[in-house]
Amino acid sequence: MNSLVLLVVLPLFAAFIIPVVAKFSPKLSLFTGPVVLCINLLLIMSAWIKVGSGSEAIFLGGFLPPVGIVFYIDHFSLLFSGLIAGMVLIVWPWDAKESRLYSLYMLLSAASFGLVLSADLFNLYVFYELLAVATYGIIAASPISKVPNSSATAASLRYLFISSAGSVMLLLGIAIIYTLTGTLNIAHLATMTTSLDGFAGLSAFALIAIGAGVKAEMFPVNSWVAEVYGTIPRQLSALLAGLVSKLAVILIIRMLLMVFQQQAAFDLLLVVGMLGVISGEMVAWRAKDMIRMLSFSSIAQLGLIFIAFSIAGSKGLWIGMALMLHHLLVKGGLFLMADRFAGHMGKLKGLAKHSPMAAAVFLVFVLSLLGVPPFPGFWIKLLLILNLAEQGGGLYHVAIATILLATVIETAYIFKFVRILYQKADADSTPINKNYSSSYTFAKLFALILLVSMLFVSPISNHLKDIANHSASPHIYINKILPTKQLGDRS
Amino acid sequence: MTKYSALLFISGLVFLLMVITGLLPMGHTPMLVGNAILEGAKDQVGAANVVTSVVLGYRGLDTLGELSILFAAASVVGLVLTKSSFNKHASNNDDKHDHHDSGFVAVNAIDLIFPLLLVVGMYIITHGHLTPGGGFQGGVVLAVAFSMLVIVRPRRVSINHGMVSIIESFAGVSFIVIGVVALFKGQSFLQPLLGHGEFASLWSAGTLPLLYLAVGLKVGAELAGLLLALNTDEVAS
Amino acid sequence: MIWVVAVVVFIMLAAALAVLFLPNMIAAVVASAVVSLSLTVIFAIVKAPDVAMTEAAIGAGLSSLILAIGLKRLGYWKTDSIDKVKAGERHD
Amino acid sequence: MNSFFTIEGILYFGAISLSIIGLFGLLVSKNLFRMLLSLVLFEAGANLVLVLSGFIRNGIAPIFLDGNSGAVMNDPVPQALVLTAIVIGVGVQALALSLIFRVKKHYGSMDMRTIRSKLEREIATQAGVTPPGSNEAPAPVKLVKGEAHE
């Protein structure tokens, strides 16, 4: 099991050697990254089987927690590790002119693996920051390889300022937690929730939530979203909206589930989620071009995910996880589609006649996003509303009302979009780019996965429920990571 | 409008942080992990400087992540600021002619100081496990020494970008290799290997000095590359 | 001891305010270097020699060097302050 | 509540004030370079808070020397964390500066508001939509048609 640390270390290794390899053979450097990711996929699969329904902890450096850094491995983290490897493979920049860009993609995936696996607060901060720096670079550099486009640099700079401020808040939150408890290990923190119960602990959570919320497109700190997604290649938008935002959500959720099980923390997340849903849907409704609509609907979906996580315990994790996977498929697929069909929505008129297949794929995605009955989106939304109703309490009812209102707004703009697809073409509409594009193929694949999962809704949801039950339990977490309460023992 | 919301936000934060400061246990924090490390560091890692034990032993992965962040930052600066494409790094040979050596005082001062800075940098790196300082601080000194040399007399001295990138790759790779060797000896990643040696002597603390050497080289190469890239006048447009 | 700490903290905060409100950018960068130096003193006072060394080398040295390169390349390397600074570039 | 006029009290006050000054500057400044300086201050404040979290009154530096066995030592962990945080901070700072160079070169301005409105106009033009809420004529955009699809 100790070898699973290679998930993080191999991409780092690849990132370090790629610039040197590129000097001798550019071709080789291009393939280093995908090969490493494939090895990682194999590692993940073998670990998935080995872990079974249990979980494992890796003690880095051989130091027993809480003094050292720990990786915690269960099906939840392995699931997301697999998604990371898959997504990065899908959006791998095959046509980039710069070997350093490959290094950045490798660093991004290493940071993502670390963010999913690590069970140490400061280690999470380091990986979060690595993810952030790699992302700034990829955003700023990506269009350079194709178009000399400086607007991406400006978007990246604004993102850098917002996100760095967020990182510093994360650091402040960690400092407060350390001052109160004297430890950084999340399992160890979970054993002393009482010292974090007060106002100081809650504000530490708020600082962490806002700090990580920048990447998670959380309500007050998401003004970068439209600018960044508007200027970068669409595959990259798919990566950022589909995956990177989820990793930040996972960071927040881990803190919430393991350490801050207080009603005030849940309420905070609920309010932020509702505000995100409403603000996102309102802007998406008025958007005229596709990327803007997708960006703001992504903000709204992330808000929905935060609402789901405000349900305490494993149920919240279960629904939130389903929402995250669904959003990854749908928004990732839509952004990949937008690689070919972007711009003003009026230009898409007559798409259904021109390319029925593309229109059908669009239809699958948006209908599932909206939550029309047979699609998986419907079941998840239903589950969310039912569970919110079960919670009782005024705020949860407001949340139900918010979701319903948001669905109405969503219906308005999505049907506007669908109508455009099935309208007759006019002079304004552009003929579709006939060039082969791999992202369109992947979008079709995503739609296929969505349709297949429609047939297996109940086994999939049962499986997710098992994973969530296991991952949301602080007891299992603590027992696995802190097998003995002795401090400073060497294994 | 934005201004008012910013002010509101700030005042809220001021209130929040002031209240927190009142609630914190100042000056007598519960150092659970800290005490455990202070007790065990001598036997488990064997470095006289406990901070070094933490940086490279207990939290070696953080240090690796940090090196990666510096590497990412240097790569991005290179990507953003130079026109280089595959294989070809923008060499500053072309624009040599608009550079002039700095004045007499600067040139002579840097000639005098340069070897001294090198010695100091190497000393700080190699004594990181005994005294304050280590790879980061020594690496910064090395980076500043080299880039001052280039900045002050750009006509005479130029740093080979290929060399810099090979050094940084080599240093990063050797850090990882030291960790992976431990992994394949049946222990875990970045576990301190080799004997601890005599406590508080130069050859002590197992692999820690080696790791710090790698860190120092990496940080030095990274930062020198960063400074030079920032200082080149040519910006891709 | 406590008065030493108070004075250093006072200098640090005054320099931090100066970073925000001085119209001349060179002065602002120098003020940020003063902040770093006061931080170095504070780290030494709280018995964190490693951090003090790092802050001196990186915060006061390298960071100021980087910012000075920035000053040079962004055209802020001039001593005449308010009258030459364009309205759009002045801090609000 | 703590008594305020102690070494820790003053230091915490300084650290928190420093972070707040930095954040204030980041939110209120318009100039990119000034925003960068504010970010540096904000980071410095957070680093100081983190160092203080391991501060023990009358503790000594966490280094084993000949004469100091038995003395109370400061917590080494936050010091190690701050080393990491400082180095990360300088990396981000250099990165931000390089982006500022490019942005300055492209937009010819250092004002965040100007840049943001120009950026929004560029995005809208690229997407083929009339820019939201702009009364002036759209700026000439250098992009070639069809790039939005790439």
PDB file of all heavy atoms in Angstrom, chain A residues 363-381:
ATOM      1  N   LEU A 363     -28.874  17.980 -26.116  1.00  0.00           N
ATOM      2  CA  LEU A 363     -30.165  17.781 -25.461  1.00  0.00           C
ATOM      3  C   LEU A 363     -30.024  16.896 -24.231  1.00  0.00           C
ATOM      4  O   LEU A 363     -30.563  17.196 -23.160  1.00  0.00           O
ATOM      5  CB  LEU A 363     -31.126  17.147 -26.473  1.00  0.00           C
ATOM      6  CG  LEU A 363     -32.597  17.433 -26.242  1.00  0.00           C
ATOM      7  CD1 LEU A 363     -32.829  18.920 -26.306  1.00  0.00           C
ATOM      8  CD2 LEU A 363     -33.425  16.716 -27.290  1.00  0.00           C
ATOM      9  N   VAL A 364     -29.266  15.819 -24.361  1.00  0.00           N
ATOM     10  CA  VAL A 364     -29.068  14.910 -23.228  1.00  0.00           C
ATOM     11  C   VAL A 364     -28.473  15.667 -22.056  1.00  0.00           C
ATOM     12  O   VAL A 364     -28.959  15.601 -20.921  1.00  0.00           O
ATOM     13  CB  VAL A 364     -28.147  13.741 -23.631  1.00  0.00           C
ATOM     14  CG1 VAL A 364     -27.710  12.962 -22.403  1.00  0.00           C
ATOM     15  CG2 VAL A 364     -28.837  12.844 -24.618  1.00  0.00           C
ATOM     16  N   PHE A 365     -27.427  16.455 -22.358  1.00  0.00           N
ATOM     17  CA  PHE A 365     -26.746  17.166 -21.285  1.00  0.00           C
ATOM     18  C   PHE A 365     -27.667  18.165 -20.599  1.00  0.00           C
ATOM     19  O   PHE A 365     -27.812  18.160 -19.387  1.00  0.00           O
ATOM     20  CB  PHE A 365     -25.511  17.897 -21.822  1.00  0.00           C
ATOM     21  CG  PHE A 365     -24.348  16.994 -22.075  1.00  0.00           C
ATOM     22  CD1 PHE A 365     -23.578  17.134 -23.205  1.00  0.00           C
ATOM     23  CD2 PHE A 365     -24.014  16.021 -21.168  1.00  0.00           C
ATOM     24  CE1 PHE A 365     -22.498  16.309 -23.427  1.00  0.00           C
ATOM     25  CE2 PHE A 365     -22.935  15.187 -21.386  1.00  0.00           C
ATOM     26  CZ  PHE A 365     -22.177  15.337 -22.526  1.00  0.00           C
ATOM     27  N   VAL A 366     -28.312  19.029 -21.393  1.00  0.00           N
ATOM     28  CA  VAL A 366     -29.078  20.097 -20.746  1.00  0.00           C
ATOM     29  C   VAL A 366     -30.302  19.545 -20.041  1.00  0.00           C
ATOM     30  O   VAL A 366     -30.696  20.053 -18.986  1.00  0.00           O
ATOM     31  CB  VAL A 366     -29.464  21.219 -21.734  1.00  0.00           C
ATOM     32  CG1 VAL A 366     -28.242  21.939 -22.213  1.00  0.00           C
ATOM     33  CG2 VAL A 366     -30.288  20.711 -22.875  1.00  0.00           C
ATOM     34  N   LEU A 367     -30.910  18.497 -20.584  1.00  0.00           N
ATOM     35  CA  LEU A 367     -32.097  17.967 -19.905  1.00  0.00           C
ATOM     36  C   LEU A 367     -31.706  17.315 -18.578  1.00  0.00           C
ATOM     37  O   LEU A 367     -32.419  17.442 -17.576  1.00  0.00           O
ATOM     38  CB  LEU A 367     -32.818  16.961 -20.800  1.00  0.00           C
ATOM     39  CG  LEU A 367     -33.533  17.596 -21.995  1.00  0.00           C
ATOM     40  CD1 LEU A 367     -34.322  16.546 -22.740  1.00  0.00           C
ATOM     41  CD2 LEU A 367     -34.445  18.732 -21.561  1.00  0.00           C
ATOM     42  N   SER A 368     -30.551  16.656 -18.556  1.00  0.00           N
ATOM     43  CA  SER A 368     -30.124  16.067 -17.297  1.00  0.00           C
ATOM     44  C   SER A 368     -29.732  17.149 -16.307  1.00  0.00           C
ATOM     45  O   SER A 368     -30.012  17.051 -15.107  1.00  0.00           O
ATOM     46  CB  SER A 368     -28.952  15.128 -17.533  1.00  0.00           C
ATOM     47  OG  SER A 368     -28.676  14.414 -16.362  1.00  0.00           O
ATOM     48  N   LEU A 369     -29.126  18.229 -16.822  1.00  0.00           N
ATOM     49  CA  LEU A 369     -28.763  19.346 -15.964  1.00  0.00           C
ATOM     50  C   LEU A 369     -30.010  19.934 -15.311  1.00  0.00           C
ATOM     51  O   LEU A 369     -30.039  20.262 -14.133  1.00  0.00           O
ATOM     52  CB  LEU A 369     -28.061  20.415 -16.801  1.00  0.00           C
ATOM     53  CG  LEU A 369     -27.470  21.600 -16.080  1.00  0.00           C
ATOM     54  CD1 LEU A 369     -26.304  21.143 -15.237  1.00  0.00           C
ATOM     55  CD2 LEU A 369     -27.014  22.650 -17.065  1.00  0.00           C
ATOM     56  N   LEU A 370     -31.058  20.031 -16.118  1.00  0.00           N
ATOM     57  CA  LEU A 370     -32.300  20.613 -15.624  1.00  0.00           C
ATOM     58  C   LEU A 370     -33.000  19.676 -14.651  1.00  0.00           C
ATOM     59  O   LEU A 370     -33.646  20.122 -13.704  1.00  0.00           O
ATOM     60  CB  LEU A 370     -33.192  20.897 -16.838  1.00  0.00           C
ATOM     61  CG  LEU A 370     -34.491  21.607 -16.625  1.00  0.00           C
ATOM     62  CD1 LEU A 370     -34.221  22.931 -15.965  1.00  0.00           C
ATOM     63  CD2 LEU A 370     -35.151  21.824 -17.960  1.00  0.00           C
ATOM     64  N   GLY A 371     -32.849  18.379 -14.882  1.00  0.00           N
ATOM     65  CA  GLY A 371     -33.517  17.414 -14.018  1.00  0.00           C
ATOM     66  C   GLY A 371     -34.856  16.979 -14.565  1.00  0.00           C
ATOM     67  O   GLY A 371     -35.874  16.982 -13.864  1.00  0.00           O
ATOM     68  N   VAL A 372     -34.869  16.598 -15.849  1.00  0.00           N
ATOM     69  CA  VAL A 372     -36.097  16.084 -16.450  1.00  0.00           C
ATOM     70  C   VAL A 372     -36.175  14.587 -16.159  1.00  0.00           C
ATOM     71  O   VAL A 372     -35.147  13.905 -16.212  1.00  0.00           O
ATOM     72  CB  VAL A 372     -36.075  16.377 -17.966  1.00  0.00           C
ATOM     73  CG1 VAL A 372     -37.205  15.670 -18.669  1.00  0.00           C
ATOM     74  CG2 VAL A 372     -36.156  17.868 -18.206  1.00  0.00           C
ATOM     75  N   PRO A 373     -37.369  14.066 -15.809  1.00  0.00           N
ATOM     76  CA  PRO A 373     -37.485  12.749 -15.194  1.00  0.00           C
ATOM     77  C   PRO A 373     -36.570  11.590 -15.566  1.00  0.00           C
ATOM     78  O   PRO A 373     -35.873  11.156 -14.662  1.00  0.00           O
ATOM     79  CB  PRO A 373     -38.948  12.419 -15.377  1.00  0.00           C
ATOM     80  CG  PRO A 373     -39.567  13.735 -15.164  1.00  0.00           C
ATOM     81  CD  PRO A 373     -38.627  14.767 -15.735  1.00  0.00           C
ATOM     82  N   PRO A 374     -36.483  11.087 -16.775  1.00  0.00           N
ATOM     83  CA  PRO A 374     -35.716   9.829 -16.798  1.00  0.00           C
ATOM     84  C   PRO A 374     -34.224  10.017 -16.556  1.00  0.00           C
ATOM     85  O   PRO A 374     -33.530   9.065 -16.265  1.00  0.00           O
ATOM     86  CB  PRO A 374     -35.961   9.292 -18.208  1.00  0.00           C
ATOM     87  CG  PRO A 374     -36.364  10.464 -19.008  1.00  0.00           C
ATOM     88  CD  PRO A 374     -36.940  11.478 -18.100  1.00  0.00           C
ATOM     89  N   PHE A 375     -33.738  11.235 -16.668  1.00  0.00           N
ATOM     90  CA  PHE A 375     -32.281  11.423 -16.594  1.00  0.00           C
ATOM     91  C   PHE A 375     -31.787  11.392 -15.146  1.00  0.00           C
ATOM     92  O   PHE A 375     -32.547  11.678 -14.221  1.00  0.00           O
ATOM     93  CB  PHE A 375     -31.900  12.754 -17.244  1.00  0.00           C
ATOM     94  CG  PHE A 375     -32.070  12.738 -18.722  1.00  0.00           C
ATOM     95  CD1 PHE A 375     -33.194  13.293 -19.309  1.00  0.00           C
ATOM     96  CD2 PHE A 375     -31.134  12.142 -19.542  1.00  0.00           C
ATOM     97  CE1 PHE A 375     -33.371  13.259 -20.664  1.00  0.00           C
ATOM     98  CE2 PHE A 375     -31.304  12.109 -20.909  1.00  0.00           C
ATOM     99  CZ  PHE A 375     -32.426  12.668 -21.477  1.00  0.00           C
ATOM    100  N   PRO A 376     -30.504  11.061 -14.963  1.00  0.00           N
ATOM    101  CA  PRO A 376     -29.975  10.964 -13.590  1.00  0.00           C
ATOM    102  C   PRO A 376     -30.137  12.254 -12.815  1.00  0.00           C
ATOM    103  O   PRO A 376     -30.335  12.233 -11.594  1.00  0.00           O
ATOM    104  CB  PRO A 376     -28.485  10.668 -13.802  1.00  0.00           C
ATOM    105  CG  PRO A 376     -28.377  10.120 -15.156  1.00  0.00           C
ATOM    106  CD  PRO A 376     -29.486  10.687 -15.955  1.00  0.00           C
ATOM    107  N   GLY A 377     -30.042  13.404 -13.514  1.00  0.00           N
ATOM    108  CA  GLY A 377     -30.175  14.681 -12.834  1.00  0.00           C
ATOM    109  C   GLY A 377     -31.462  14.789 -12.041  1.00  0.00           C
ATOM    110  O   GLY A 377     -31.496  15.366 -10.951  1.00  0.00           O
ATOM    111  N   PHE A 378     -32.524  14.209 -12.579  1.00  0.00           N
ATOM    112  CA  PHE A 378     -33.818  14.268 -11.904  1.00  0.00           C
ATOM    113  C   PHE A 378     -33.773  13.561 -10.567  1.00  0.00           C
ATOM    114  O   PHE A 378     -34.189  14.080  -9.531  1.00  0.00           O
ATOM    115  CB  PHE A 378     -34.885  13.648 -12.797  1.00  0.00           C
ATOM    116  CG  PHE A 378     -36.175  13.361 -12.075  1.00  0.00           C
ATOM    117  CD1 PHE A 378     -37.017  14.399 -11.718  1.00  0.00           C
ATOM    118  CD2 PHE A 378     -36.524  12.057 -11.762  1.00  0.00           C
ATOM    119  CE1 PHE A 378     -38.200  14.141 -11.052  1.00  0.00           C
ATOM    120  CE2 PHE A 378     -37.698  11.801 -11.086  1.00  0.00           C
ATOM    121  CZ  PHE A 378     -38.539  12.838 -10.735  1.00  0.00           C
ATOM    122  N   TRP A 379     -33.224  12.332 -10.562  1.00  0.00           N
ATOM    123  CA  TRP A 379     -33.212  11.545  -9.326  1.00  0.00           C
ATOM    124  C   TRP A 379     -32.397  12.240  -8.251  1.00  0.00           C
ATOM    125  O   TRP A 379     -32.772  12.259  -7.079  1.00  0.00           O
ATOM    126  CB  TRP A 379     -32.641  10.148  -9.596  1.00  0.00           C
ATOM    127  CG  TRP A 379     -33.472   9.394 -10.577  1.00  0.00           C
ATOM    128  CD1 TRP A 379     -33.156   9.089 -11.853  1.00  0.00           C
ATOM    129  CD2 TRP A 379     -34.789   8.892 -10.357  1.00  0.00           C
ATOM    130  NE1 TRP A 379     -34.182   8.413 -12.458  1.00  0.00           N
ATOM    131  CE2 TRP A 379     -35.192   8.282 -11.566  1.00  0.00           C
ATOM    132  CE3 TRP A 379     -35.673   8.888  -9.272  1.00  0.00           C
ATOM    133  CZ2 TRP A 379     -36.446   7.680 -11.723  1.00  0.00           C
ATOM    134  CZ3 TRP A 379     -36.901   8.282  -9.423  1.00  0.00           C
ATOM    135  CH2 TRP A 379     -37.269   7.691 -10.628  1.00  0.00           C
ATOM    136  N   ILE A 380     -31.275  12.850  -8.677  1.00  0.00           N
ATOM    137  CA  ILE A 380     -30.426  13.503  -7.671  1.00  0.00           C
ATOM    138  C   ILE A 380     -31.137  14.695  -7.075  1.00  0.00           C
ATOM    139  O   ILE A 380     -31.148  14.903  -5.862  1.00  0.00           O
ATOM    140  CB  ILE A 380     -29.087  13.916  -8.312  1.00  0.00           C
ATOM    141  CG1 ILE A 380     -28.370  12.696  -8.865  1.00  0.00           C
ATOM    142  CG2 ILE A 380     -28.210  14.605  -7.308  1.00  0.00           C
ATOM    143  CD1 ILE A 380     -27.170  13.011  -9.686  1.00  0.00           C
ATOM    144  N   LYS A 381     -31.774  15.484  -7.947  1.00  0.00           N
ATOM    145  CA  LYS A 381     -32.469  16.668  -7.436  1.00  0.00           C
ATOM    146  C   LYS A 381     -33.610  16.261  -6.508  1.00  0.00           C
ATOM    147  O   LYS A 381     -33.831  16.877  -5.459  1.00  0.00           O
ATOM    148  CB  LYS A 381     -33.014  17.503  -8.596  1.00  0.00           C
ATOM    149  CG  LYS A 381     -32.427  18.907  -8.620  1.00  0.00           C
ATOM    150  CD  LYS A 381     -32.972  19.697  -9.765  1.00  0.00           C
ATOM    151  CE  LYS A 381     -32.056  20.883 -10.034  1.00  0.00           C
ATOM    152  NZ  LYS A 381     -32.412  21.598 -11.243  1.00  0.00           N
TER     153      LYS A 381
END
